[in-house]
Amino acid sequence: MLHLVNKNVKQIEKSGIRKIYNKVLNDPSIVNLTVGQPDFPTPENVINAGIRSLLEKRTGYTTNSGLPELRKAIASFVDRRYGLKYEPENEIIVTIGASEALDIAFRTILDEGSEVILPAPIYPAYEPLIRLCGAIPVFIDTRETGFKLNAEMIKTKLTDKTRCVLLPYPSNPCGCILEKEELQEIADLLRDKEIFIISDEIYSELTYGTRHHSIAFFPGMKEKSIVINGLSKSHAMTGWRIGFALAPKYLIEEMLKIHVYNTVCVTSASQYAALEALSADLIDVEQMKEEYQKRRDYVFDRVKSMGLDVSWPDGAFYLFPSIKNTGMSSEEFTEELIEHAKVAVIPGSAFSTYGEGYIRISYASSMENLVEGLNRLEKFLENINIKMDCLNSFFK
């Protein structure tokens, strides 16, 4: 009876990230540099807050949109960090990770045939969510602009069907950010247009040497923007599944309908842990960020020294080097790297067709793993170069 399954679901491709991750998950001989899974533990006081809520038997349903005190903490957090002003009572929903926040945002604003403009290469989860709504992703190739979307590029893709522009910065897989001036130009373009903006800012706390800016900060933009954020990456809380959506009241009221019928509310213990995480600027979080920056610098220098072309990442915890000079496809390169060097990375093709010719390396791993993994990658590339030199000599 497969023919009776929803056609939009059947057309969705399995995640290229999880395909590789699951393949190598239980092989201890492989240095795994695939997923964006922080290798740090959740801060101890955050864990204890979750445990305490269980011991105190605070295990019932919470308010659908999240604990009132947690929403207040979220409002305070985004205000002091990014200058964003949101009312805790009616402009914030606590969600099951940023993933649910994205899902209910797209389902609220998209109709059949709506178009969503988004940069590519890009994290693979957006396209399926858009297509499940019967909407159409309109990719913009950013490979010649340092993987950054800009106002002029958006302008060339606008049609009467454009419903939304997606801004996923800091970027996964590229690590690039949008500077304040770049966001200002996008705001100026879209301010007077009936087009929503979804700004996925899950990596907003992980920027190095520069400050994150949100499109919702600019005059006239909060009214049409849905800001997505959460604690998975910044606070090493991936398994707690805490995200949040921030938007004007008229949108939150509609998004909340989907959230209520889908999940009722987020797990209570996770919400109490999140409340602790956001109640202060934790030292642990700053220490994580400092360590990521050291790793970023190390991995970037090593990859450059191997002769791979790579853009400087200002945020997140990924590098996206080109492997075009090897003459291999990204999937072929990844499979060969796993088989012969015992190193796992993600093929660029997982991030849309515009990611072909690249690989994503996650440096959310220990320095020991990074050193070993990059040593193996370097040796692998040397062997490829030797083979290519032999072939070139043979055909001369």
Side-chain angles (χ1 to χ4, degrees):
M1 297 178 66
L2 179 62
H3 66 283
L4 298 178
V5 173
N6 185 299
K7 62 180 176 60
N8 290 334
V9 175
K10 285 173 32 177
Q11 290 171 359
I12 291 174
E13 297 289 337
K14 293 181 180 178
S15 168
I17 297 175
R18 288 291 163 176
K19 176 183 175 182
I20 298 296
Y21 176 74
N22 292 336
K23 178 177 181 178
V24 304
L25 181 60
N26 296 314
D27 189 340
S29 70
I30 292 175
V31 178
N32 192 333
L33 306 178
T34 56
V35 297
Q37 169 69 45
D39 66 312
F40 299 103
T42 302
E44 189 171 351
N45 58 321
V46 175
I47 293 174
N48 289 337
I51 294 172
R52 191 163 55 248
S53 74
L54 296 173
L55 294 175
E56 294 173 358
K57 297 180 174 59
R58 289 178 282 164
T59 56
Y61 292 128
T62 71
T63 307
N64 296 128
S65 54
L67 291 167
E69 56 267 43
L70 175 55
R71 282 179 281 131
K72 287 180 181 178
I74 293 168
S76 175
F77 178 78
V78 298
D79 186 6
R80 70 177 184 269
R81 302 296 285 188
Y82 316 121
L84 300 178
K85 309 290 185 183
Y86 286 93
E87 293 295 329
E89 296 81 11
N90 49 37
E91 293 187 323
I92 298 173
I93 303 176
V94 183
T95 60
I96 300 179
S99 300
E100 192 218 344
L102 285 164
D103 181 36
I104 64 175
F106 282 127
R107 285 203 274 170
T108 297
I109 65 173
L110 298 181
D111 290 314
E112 190 86 22
S114 298
E115 293 180 352
V116 179
I117 293 174
L118 60 169
I122 192 169
Y123 179 60
Y126 303 116
E127 181 179 357
L129 294 178
I130 293 167
R131 292 197 183 279
L132 282 172
C133 297
I136 302 165
V138 178
F139 292 105
I140 293 182
D141 184 357
T142 62
R143 289 173 294 182
E144 299 301 319
T145 57
F147 303 112
K148 293 187 178 190
L149 190 63
N150 61 47
E152 191 58 37
M153 297 162 80
I154 294 171
K155 187 176 181 180
T156 64
K157 295 292 185 178
L158 293 177
T159 72
D160 57 0
K161 294 182 180 180
T162 304
R163 182 68 58 83
C164 174
V165 174
L166 176 67
L167 299 179
Y169 297 98
S171 163
N172 173 9
C174 310
C176 58
I177 65 170
L178 292 187
E179 301 286 354
K180 188 174 183 179
E181 297 75 16
E182 295 168 317
L183 285 168
Q184 179 69 69
E185 292 178 358
I186 294 174
D188 291 343
L189 171 67
L190 299 177
R191 182 174 294 109
D192 297 326
K193 293 179 171 57
E194 291 191 329
I195 295 173
F196 292 109
I197 297 168
I198 293 181
S199 185
D200 185 353
E201 304 179 18
I202 190 65
Y203 294 99
S204 62
E205 286 295 287
L206 296 178
T207 59
Y208 313 109
T210 186
R211 182 187 174 196
H212 171 74
H213 297 279
S214 174
I215 190 73
F217 175 79
F218 295 86
M221 300 311 291
K222 176 187 172 183
E223 292 76 6
K224 56 173 52 195
S225 298
I226 302 172
V227 175
I228 309 295
N229 213 318
L231 301 180
S232 292
K233 312 299 184 178
S234 59
H235 289 69
M237 293 179 67
T238 52
W240 296 85
R241 306 312 299 135
I242 286 287
F244 33 92
L246 306 101
K249 180 181 177 181
Y250 78 94
L251 280 173
I252 288 293
E253 286 179 347
E254 303 304 318
M255 292 168 66
L256 189 58
K257 296 176 186 176
I258 304 172
H259 172 72
V260 169
Y261 288 122
N262 192 18
T263 65
V264 180
C265 66
V266 174
T267 306
S268 57
S270 292
Q271 291 194 58
Y272 286 110
L275 176 60
E276 176 67 23
L278 290 175
S279 294
D281 294 325
L282 301 178
I283 294 175
D284 310 59
V285 174
E286 286 303 313
Q287 290 174 339
M288 290 182 212
K289 182 176 174 179
E290 289 173 7
E291 183 61 26
Y292 286 137
Q293 185 166 355
K294 291 177 185 176
R295 297 174 185 180
R296 186 273 311 263
D297 296 347
Y298 172 76
V299 176
F300 181 84
D301 288 343
R302 285 294 307 274
V303 168
K304 287 288 286 185
S305 72
M306 297 176 201
L308 298 181
D309 184 29
V310 61
S311 295
W312 177 256
D314 285 306
F317 36 54
Y318 309 106
L319 248 67
F320 201 59
S322 170
I323 48 92
K324 294 175 184 176
N325 60 3
T326 67
M328 304 168 72
S329 72
S330 61
E331 287 199 16
E332 182 184 7
F333 183 95
T334 302
E335 294 292 338
E336 292 286 314
L337 185 64
I338 292 172
E339 181 178 351
H340 298 292
K342 299 296 183 182
V343 179
V345 297
I346 302 298
S349 57
F351 304 96
S352 82
T353 56
Y354 297 99
E356 180 53 65
Y358 297 83
I359 57 172
R360 190 192 74 175
I361 301 172
S362 170
Y363 54 88
S365 187
S366 69
M367 186 60 82
E368 180 183 6
N369 277 345
L370 292 172
V371 171
E372 178 62 26
L374 291 170
N375 286 343
R376 296 183 188 185
L377 174 61
E378 185 171 34
K379 188 173 182 180
F380 177 75
L381 289 169
E382 288 171 354
N383 289 336
I384 289 177
N385 289 334
I386 290 171
K387 290 179 182 178
M388 291 176 69
D389 289 342
C390 290
L391 285 172
N392 290 335
S393 297
F394 178 80
F395 287 108
K396 278 185 179 179

